[in-house]
Amino acid sequence: MTATAPRGVVGRPWRKVDALGSATGRAVYADDMYLPGMLIGKQLHSIHAHALIRGIDTSQAEALDGVHAVLTGADLPVAYGIFPVSQDEHALAVERVRYVGEPVVAVAAVDEETAERALALVEVVYEPLPEVTTYEAALAEDGPRIHGEGTGANIHRSNAFEFGDVAEGFSVADHVREDVLFYSGNNHAAMEQHAAVAEMGSDGRLTLWTSTQVPHYVHRTLEKVLEMPAGHIRVIAPAVGGGFGGKTDPFSHEITASKLAMVTGRPVKITLTREEVFYAHRGRHPVLMWVRTGFTADGRITAMHFRSLLDGGAYGSYGAATTLYTGALQTTTYRIPAYRFEGVRVFTNKPPCGPKRGHGTPQPRFALEVHLDKAADDLGIDPVELRLRNAVEPFSETVNHLRITSSGLRECIEEVTRASGFAEQRGKLPRGRGLGFAIGAYMSGAGLPIYWNDMPQSEVQLKVDRGGGVTVYSMAADVGQGSTSVLAAIVAEVLGLEAADLSLVTADTDLTPIDLGSYSSRVTFMAGNAALEAATKLRAMVFDAVAAHLEVPADSLVAAERRVGVDGDPERSVPWSEAVRLAAAAFGPLTASGAYTPPDLAGPYKGSGVGPSPAYSYSACVAAVACDPETGVVAVEKVWMAHDVGRSINPLLVEGQIEGSVHMALGEVFSEEQAFRGGMHIGPSLLDYKIPSILEMPPVESILIETVDPEGPFGAKEAGQGPLLPVLPAIANAIHDALGIRVDELPITPWKVLQAVRDLERGGDGRVGPAGLPDVPFREPLRVELPQQWQEVAAP
Amino acid sequence: MRLPPFTFLEPATLAEATKMLADQGPAATTVAGGTDLYPNLKRRQSSPKTLVSLRRVDGLRGIRANGSGTTIGATTTLGEVAAAEVLPGAIRDAAGFVSSPQIRNVGTIGGNLCVDTRCDYINQNEEWRRAVDFCLKDRGEICWVAPRSSHCWAVSSTDIAPVAIALEAEIRLASVGGERVIPAEALYRDDGIEWLTRAPDEILTEIVVPGGNGMRATYRKVRRRGTIDFPILGVAVAVDVDGGGECTSARIVLGAIASAPVRASEAEEFLAGKRLSDEVIEETARLAGKAARPQDNTDLNSRYRKRMVPVEVGRALRSLA
Ligand SMILES: Cc1cc2nc3c(=O)[nH]c(=O)nc-3n(C[C@H](O)[C@H](O)[C@H](O)COP(=O)(O)OP(=O)(O)OC[C@H]3O[C@@H](n4cnc5c(N)ncnc54)[C@H](O)[C@@H]3O)c2cc1C
């Protein structure tokens, strides 16, 4: 939906509506809640990576003074999972445990100490099974199966597609290059640990306050697992201290807190410890990738073949989508006339992986951008020029049937290279210093919902009180990114108000209309469009009433600066509060609602549901590094990021997302790793898990490119995930510029840098990284018909 | 995570404190800032019955210069040490490198000198350690770092100790039986479980840093991030240089590579009587590298830490040349 050019709050930098609450500590997070009579819940976890549960004796725990209830898997027998195809989890393990840290028993007691003492009294008898923790073990035909009985390969998902004739594409290539890269897994490490408080009302209705990005999906899961009508359950997301995809699954503690509240009749709170957050995980999948690309001598891509092998951990989670995402978006930045993708996700006895900022796309983006940097070297073409020669054009369609609308890719590339002096400096800095370049693209919301339905993905309602106050209702959960502020800005802009004039009611399944949640960068675009529609409808009513009052045509009116009146004629206007009184007198209840349903964008093949989005954001990044060849330490000195956000509803928030993305990328590229010894996490704490500190954080120069997308609210697209993508490869490419080495395996530790430097000094190629993929039984690709546009190209 | 239950005693004088420790026996532990002890208790690395807090003990906090050097009271915070202009730069730097500003506001120098040894297999919560199975340092039978070892390899992780040794500082210990003063080096034992020679009823009351004419010293720290992280290698170097520019003696002390700070004696001996030329620095650094035999039980790997010893010793010496 389009709208006229903004003149009010949209486009202005201003403080988030909830900023003062967060900054002063007044925001109420789930763990801040204390209800009368509240009990504390705690969970006991598996100490085995893979074992059968032979018996659980909870009698001593139940007998302990102060213990109100003890639950085991038998109390919550219904399986669930975020994806309809992966209903493979239980709130508490049933018969079998599949990773160290998996919840097995839950207690509710008068306080945390008593709950801990109770757990120490629980006896679980395990029969250990062989554990599967590597790709090789997971793929072995004669190894144990993690799901199901007996032996066999632990393949969770396997997808393969071919668009266009890849063999033909390679045969006409002048140069073909292959690379193998590894992207390690990592955790979201949101500042706020997950927490949930459940209360069973005397009316038999359950309320759950939980730190979640997706109240709706939690609601659906509770309905299923608790076997209660959805209408008797209310899920509320209070203030949420960061999510990054780590709070988009329904979690064990949400279900067990609810069940404990039902059993005890008292409110129950469960707050995860940091260790438990690392076990609940759902973080970035480790992905081993192989990519082969054909080029003409002048650097045009003729074909690409991409393979990914994902280590999914013990359960499905979002893995069905993640697998597809590792192959879906390569074509959104580069014009690839023939493309083949093969992806396999295996189960292992480790905490389940899921979606993290960029969901399945940072891994292939890292591989692709490093691969292209190397190809540019092979071809003797400037790496920026190579990208420009293959850049996807706006308003085009990719070979895998993705519809591209607005794209500021070229402007991003031009602006970021200009600002950073890339052309002048790359390859010319003293040894140890270097510049690297990369690009990326991301979706403004997944075109398809997680469970199939043809209802709107977002709805927003507005209600006006008699003093002119406007209340905005939306289920979108603000997880710190500022989504509520974005909705406020859109409504305020349309109605000519300030954000402070609005009352914002969000993320409450009783009070607010549907929004699928804060994931896939969808809220600004989708809930934003719903808010825009609702506000536009409300304004139309107000305009009609004011037009009648002023005796002017409604289309001559504007709403601005808390007044409604004739554009350019302040004499003929009324204050907003008067305008709504006129409208209420004319129309009765002053409410309006809006909805957003994405256009049907799926391609003509099974598996095409992942990748389509109503619009894509584009980014280009340059990183400057200083490397110490004796210690292997790499410091990032500066990052430049140009991001095509369509329209920045609030530039401050967009810059915040860019800076946060750079910080997160810095951790993923150098030091953050969800690492294991066998099935044991090597250090599930924030001391061992190395998030970069403020001292490692370089200055970031953000350049906002506005392409005004035809379908985005005021032209806006996403900003929350896309800017992460190019940072990692830009840094890896900068290290190559600095030292001539290639570390094709994350994280890039000082030790790996030293090994690569030493290898180069000894006449090697200066590369550290994986040699290849193990034997993966990729399936025969589904050959997909080319889009119309491409059939014409292919025709002689 | 919650603390285990304990009795908390807050003596007002040193005499009271030493008496409490003597009365309680080994079931009691001293605590100063608690920045090391409390996290370890939350992880149930130990569960002392009684804690004797030194925070309110009179006269233990503060920095006093005297004729021959400077005395630092045990409960002086690291922040105060880092800011004290009367102290040698090396010790101020070391204090300033410890963890984060918040911890330096609370953590003390006495606590730092006595800080528990650390290991990837011990600094984990109880459930994690139960899953792997407990180790020698707490309740277990095995060292997971070196499974055939009968000895615990947990790492001395104090930033101050290497500098204190390099500066030839002395430590004063008090108990009901009286006081003794020992060289800083004599406080440590290369044993991850019994890492101090301090008797359980002794309180470290102060550290005396000598003045040192012509002494140049520096401290370098290797860790992943510029803040928060413990050292995975600390290098303290002090050289006594005569009027002619010759090193009359040197102390090169390596931290965080063994259960006690390690003297690179061969390197020290080589350096004595020589000028800090490039060649001498390089050879000294190489010899210092031989003294280091780190295990794989901290962040990054042991080969990296070993490789960094000559690099960091070389850089330390060059900064003193
Ligand atoms: C996140 C984090 C990072 C850290 N990083 C570092 C680091 O980089 N470098 C580093 O060196 N340390 C580090 N520490 C450890 C610790 O904070 C410091 O060593 C601090 O100086 C300890 O002082 P404290 O007063 O808090 O010690 P406490 O915790 O009070 O005591 C530590 C130990 O010393 C004993 N003790 C304390 N005072 C005395 C005394 N006067 N006489 C006898 N025994 C005594 C206690 O019984 C206890 O065993 C870190 C800690 C944390 C939590």
Side-chain angles (χ1 to χ4, degrees):
Chain A
M1 169 180 277
T2 51
T4 46
R7 16 169 135 191
V9 59
V10 163
R12 284 208 320 253
W14 55 277
R15 189 163 70 199
K16 287 194 291 190
V17 289
D18 51 353
L20 276 183
S22 320
T24 58
R26 289 188 59 186
V28 177
Y29 298 87
D31 185 54
D32 293 327
M33 294 181 55
Y34 286 88
L35 299 179
M38 188 174 80
L39 303 172
I40 299 297
K42 279 247 156 229
Q43 297 184 325
L44 184 72
H45 311 95
S46 168
I47 57 170
H48 294 282
H50 198 189
L52 296 174
I53 298 174
R54 284 306 185 201
I56 304 180
D57 181 355
T58 58
S59 55
Q60 276 183 285
E62 277 162 49
L64 186 69
D65 239 11
V67 172
H68 284 246
V70 184
L71 300 179
T72 68
D75 299 302
L76 288 160
V78 181
Y80 65 94
I82 184 73
F83 266 64
V85 294
S86 306
Q87 302 290 302
D88 58 2
E89 298 187 52
H90 285 93
L92 297 168
V94 173
E95 289 170 12
R96 188 166 173 179
V97 288
R98 297 184 172 84
Y99 64 93
V100 174
E102 181 165 3
V104 177
V105 175
V107 303
V110 287
D111 55 29
E112 200 175 342
E113 284 85 349
T114 308
E116 278 181 356
R117 267 204 303 281
L119 291 179
L121 294 172
V122 172
E123 285 203 45
V124 185
V125 182
Y126 293 105
E127 179 187 324
L129 297 170
E131 52 183 59
V132 175
T133 58
T134 62
Y135 287 123
E136 288 76 9
L139 290 167
E141 285 296 337
D142 56 356
R145 294 186 63 191
I146 296 171
H147 291 272
E149 304 301 318
T151 56
N154 287 286
I155 294 183
H156 170 227
R157 304 296 289 178
S158 178
N159 301 101
F161 308 104
E162 183 164 331
F163 308 92
D165 190 338
V166 170
E168 165 73 15
F170 282 120
S171 75
V172 301
D174 298 310
H175 176 67
V176 175
R177 180 174 178 100
E178 279 180 30
D179 281 294
V180 183
L181 295 101
F182 179 67
Y183 196 115
S184 53
N186 46 60
N187 185 261
H188 321 79
M191 285 304 295
E192 182 211 14
Q193 296 140 232
H194 307 52
V197 178
E199 181 179 39
M200 194 70 189
S202 50
D203 53 1
R205 290 169 49 88
L206 174 78
T207 304
L208 181 74
W209 290 265
T210 181
S211 174
T212 184
Q213 299 174 242
V214 288
H216 175 61
Y217 294 132
V218 175
H219 195 204
R220 276 173 61 86
T221 305
L222 292 180
E223 173 189 14
K224 180 180 183 197
V225 179
L226 301 175
E227 300 175 283
M228 253 173 103
H232 296 189
I233 304 169
R234 177 178 183 185
V235 177
I236 301 171
V240 176
F244 310 107
K247 296 171 181 166
T248 48
D249 279 68
F251 285 97
S252 160
H253 69 281
E254 294 171 322
I255 299 166
T256 46
S258 301
K259 186 74 179 181
L260 286 167
M262 291 165 72
V263 172
T264 61
R266 297 186 37 176
V268 175
K269 170 155 78 184
I270 299 185
T271 301
L272 300 192
T273 62
R274 183 56 65 177
E275 284 80 357
E276 290 175 306
V277 173
F278 282 106
Y279 295 143
H281 194 44
R282 320 293 153 146
R284 183 88 69 221
H285 282 71
V287 188
L288 186 56
M289 294 163 286
W290 173 89
V291 54
R292 181 168 195 253
T293 307
F295 301 88
T296 60
D298 65 352
R300 278 169 224 283
I301 296 173
T302 62
M304 182 181 289
H305 186 176
F306 199 99
R307 289 177 155 165
S308 35
L309 177 58
L310 294 81
D311 180 347
Y315 291 100
S317 181
Y318 280 77
T322 319
T323 310
L324 291 165
Y325 276 128
T326 65
L329 300 191
Q330 281 85 332
T331 54
T332 55
T333 48
Y334 302 115
R335 197 174 178 282
I336 304 171
Y339 178 60
R340 178 164 170 172
F341 166 69
E342 292 150 336
V344 159
R345 180 181 193 259
V346 294
F347 285 124
T348 55
N349 291 120
K350 290 184 278 193
C353 297
K356 182 182 172 189
R357 203 177 204 164
H359 191 190
T361 73
Q363 300 98 323
R365 183 54 60 182
F366 169 71
L368 182 57
E369 297 296 315
V370 169
H371 172 67
L372 288 181
D373 214 56
K374 296 182 186 186
D377 274 357
D378 296 347
L379 292 162
I381 299 175
D382 175 81
V384 174
E385 183 53 35
L386 183 74
R387 265 78 166 203
L388 285 171
R389 281 187 199 168
N390 291 289
V392 160
E393 295 301 329
F395 302 97
S396 60
E397 190 170 2
T398 71
V399 75
N400 57 339
H401 297 266
L402 301 179
R403 183 198 72 164
I404 306 293
T405 57
S406 63
S407 164
L409 179 57
R410 279 176 194 281
E411 295 92 309
C412 286
I413 294 177
E414 280 156 20
E415 289 293 318
V416 85
T417 50
R418 192 188 46 71
S420 59
F422 185 78
E424 299 77 49
Q425 297 194 62
R426 176 178 176 270
K428 300 179 191 105
L429 296 168
R431 177 162 190 255
R433 299 195 49 226
L435 287 182
F437 171 81
I439 64 171
Y442 200 71
M443 312 179 301
S444 304
L448 279 83
I450 282 171
Y451 63 98
W452 195 90
N453 72 80
D454 51 10
M455 295 176 278
Q457 288 205 27
S458 289
E459 296 170 0
V460 168
Q461 290 171 344
L462 303 177
K463 186 214 86 185
V464 186
D465 71 37
R466 294 204 160 172
V470 178
T471 309
V472 181
Y473 299 90
S474 161
M475 206 183 290
D478 196 323
V479 294
Q481 86 279 39
S483 65
T484 302
S485 301
V486 166
L487 299 184
I490 289 170
V491 172
E493 171 72 38
V494 175
L495 302 180
L497 303 173
E498 290 295 319
D501 300 337
L502 308 175
S503 165
L504 300 147
V505 179
T506 58
D508 180 328
T509 60
D510 261 14
L511 300 184
T512 61
I514 188 76
D515 180 83
L516 295 185
S518 282
Y519 66 95
S520 89
S521 278
R522 51 179 301 290
V523 179
T524 292
F525 201 97
M526 299 196 180
N529 267 327
L532 178 59
E533 184 181 284
T536 307
K537 285 186 187 166
L538 180 69
R539 188 180 60 184
M541 294 204 276
V542 172
F543 278 8
D544 280 349
V546 173
H549 173 74
L550 294 177
E551 296 174 356
V552 298
D555 62 9
S556 68
L557 295 178
V558 291
E561 294 172 28
R562 299 189 175 112
R563 295 187 78 81
V564 175
V566 178
D567 198 3
D569 185 357
E571 294 299 302
R572 284 191 294 165
S573 71
V574 296
W576 170 257
S577 52
E578 175 63 21
V580 300
R581 275 195 285 277
L582 293 168
F587 301 107
L590 260 195
T591 65
S593 56
Y596 180 79
T597 310
D600 181 7
L601 296 168
Y605 63 98
K606 191 163 179 293
S608 66
V610 161
S613 173
Y616 299 88
S617 75
Y618 285 88
S619 340
C621 174
V622 171
V625 300
C627 311
D628 183 333
E630 280 183 38
T631 62
V633 171
V634 179
V636 177
E637 299 195 303
K638 182 157 183 184
V639 171
W640 294 261
M641 176 79 67
H643 182 68
D644 162 22
V645 66
R647 159 103 64 200
S648 57
I649 302 274
N650 182 343
L652 211 53
L653 294 184
V654 181
E655 284 165 18
Q657 288 302 315
I658 292 175
E659 288 162 17
S661 290
V662 170
H663 177 256
M664 187 169 270
L666 215 61
E668 296 195 19
V669 78
F670 291 126
S671 55
E672 290 185 41
E673 189 178 14
Q674 172 98 340
F676 295 86
R677 251 182 245 108
M680 284 305 299
H681 195 297
I682 66 158
S685 75
L686 289 188
L687 185 56
D688 291 332
Y689 183 83
K690 305 292 185 190
I691 302 171
S693 79
I694 188 136
L695 298 176
E696 280 73 49
M697 186 65 190
V700 177
E701 189 171 325
S702 301
I703 303 163
L704 307 186
I705 305 290
E706 300 203 318
T707 49
V708 191
D709 187 80
E711 295 178 27
F714 293 98
K717 301 191 287 189
E718 78 89 38
Q721 311 193 67
L724 173 105
L725 305 173
V727 183
L728 293 102
I731 290 172
N733 292 340
I735 294 171
H736 177 254
D737 186 41
L739 295 174
I741 60 165
R742 285 288 179 186
V743 181
D744 288 342
E745 178 188 294
L746 299 183
I748 302 178
T749 60
W751 176 244
K752 292 179 195 169
V753 170
L754 286 187
Q755 282 178 298
V757 167
R758 180 169 281 199
D759 182 63
L760 193 66
E761 282 166 1
R762 293 182 175 164
D765 60 1
R767 174 180 182 268
V768 168
L773 263 56
D775 251 338
V776 188
F778 290 114
R779 36 163 87 187
E780 255 315 289
L782 183 71
R783 284 171 213 287
V784 181
E785 198 181 300
L786 288 176
Q788 196 61 37
Q789 207 175 335
W790 286 87
Q791 287 180 18
E792 285 153 22
V793 176
Chain B
M1 279 194 284
R2 311 292 294 175
L3 285 167
F6 50 74
T7 305
F8 191 70
L9 302 178
E10 290 188 283
T13 65
L14 186 59
E16 249 177 74
T18 50
K19 176 150 192 319
M20 283 172 181
L21 276 182
D23 290 350
Q24 299 283 330
T29 298
T30 51
V31 61
T35 60
D36 178 47
L37 188 70
Y38 294 141
N40 291 348
L41 295 187
K42 286 188 173 186
R43 291 186 289 254
R44 299 295 187 276
Q45 288 171 227
S46 64
S47 299
K49 293 229 159 19
T50 306
L51 295 189
V52 178
S53 169
L54 304 180
R55 297 280 299 265
R56 296 189 198 284
V57 172
D58 215 28
L60 278 189
R61 182 166 176 178
I63 299 170
R64 295 180 309 277
N66 53 32
S68 57
T70 312
T71 301
I72 311 171
T75 60
T76 308
T77 67
L78 295 167
E80 289 161 353
V81 172
E85 281 168 18
V86 294
L87 288 170
I91 199 165
R92 293 177 59 195
D93 283 351
F97 292 162
V98 173
S99 193
S100 61
Q102 291 88 335
I103 284 193
R104 294 196 292 272
N105 286 340
V106 179
T108 66
I109 191 163
N112 189 279
L113 288 165
C114 298
V115 83
D116 201 345
T117 54
R118 298 184 66 83
C119 174
D120 285 351
Y121 290 90
I122 187 74
N123 301 116
Q124 303 288 353
N125 75 5
E126 195 174 24
E127 206 172 52
W128 189 99
R129 290 186 291 133
R130 182 168 291 122
V132 176
D133 203 357
F134 293 99
C135 75
L136 280 179
K137 192 162 158 70
D138 174 42
R139 285 175 260 181
E141 306 280 296
I142 187 169
C143 170
W144 287 112
V145 179
R148 273 178 306 195
S149 164
S150 57
H151 156 111
C152 165
W153 289 90
V155 176
S156 168
S157 301
T158 150
D159 278 304
I160 302 282
V163 181
I165 295 169
L167 295 176
E168 301 189 301
E170 288 180 323
I171 305 277
R172 189 180 297 271
L173 296 161
S175 68
V176 282
E179 283 194 349
R180 62 188 180 114
V181 176
I182 58 172
E185 193 169 1
L187 183 61
Y188 299 99
R189 226 198 311 248
D190 192 13
D191 176 338
I193 296 170
E194 296 290 342
W195 69 99
L196 295 177
T197 59
R198 175 184 83 92
D201 67 343
E202 277 182 315
I203 290 172
L204 192 161
T205 55
E206 58 191 29
I207 160 172
V208 185
V209 183
N213 284 335
M215 196 209 287
R216 301 178 193 167
T218 187
Y219 179 67
R220 298 182 64 85
K221 173 172 181 175
V222 176
R223 57 175 159 179
R224 198 81 81 103
R225 297 171 288 193
T227 182
I228 302 171
D229 291 334
F230 280 91
I232 54 173
L233 169 65
V235 169
V237 177
V239 291
D240 302 299
V241 182
D242 68 12
E246 197 167 278
C247 275
T248 52
S249 66
R251 282 153 317 276
I252 300 175
V253 190
L254 309 177
I257 47 154
S259 300
V262 173
R263 288 287 285 269
S265 316
E266 209 184 330
E268 292 176 355
E269 280 157 27
F270 172 79
L271 186 56
K274 299 198 177 67
R275 288 168 174 283
L276 287 167
S277 67
D278 284 352
E279 300 76 57
V280 168
I281 288 175
E282 198 172 316
E283 181 59 10
T284 311
R286 190 187 69 80
L287 292 171
K290 288 169 61 182
R293 274 176 297 278
Q295 300 286 320
D296 260 328
N297 56 349
T298 67
D299 187 29
L300 297 177
N301 66 40
S302 57
R303 285 185 294 169
Y304 179 75
R305 285 156 67 215
K306 183 162 173 65
R307 178 94 83 83
M308 285 309 102
V309 174
V311 173
E312 294 298 338
V313 170
R315 289 181 180 188
L317 288 167
R318 265 190 291 280
S319 76
L320 299 178

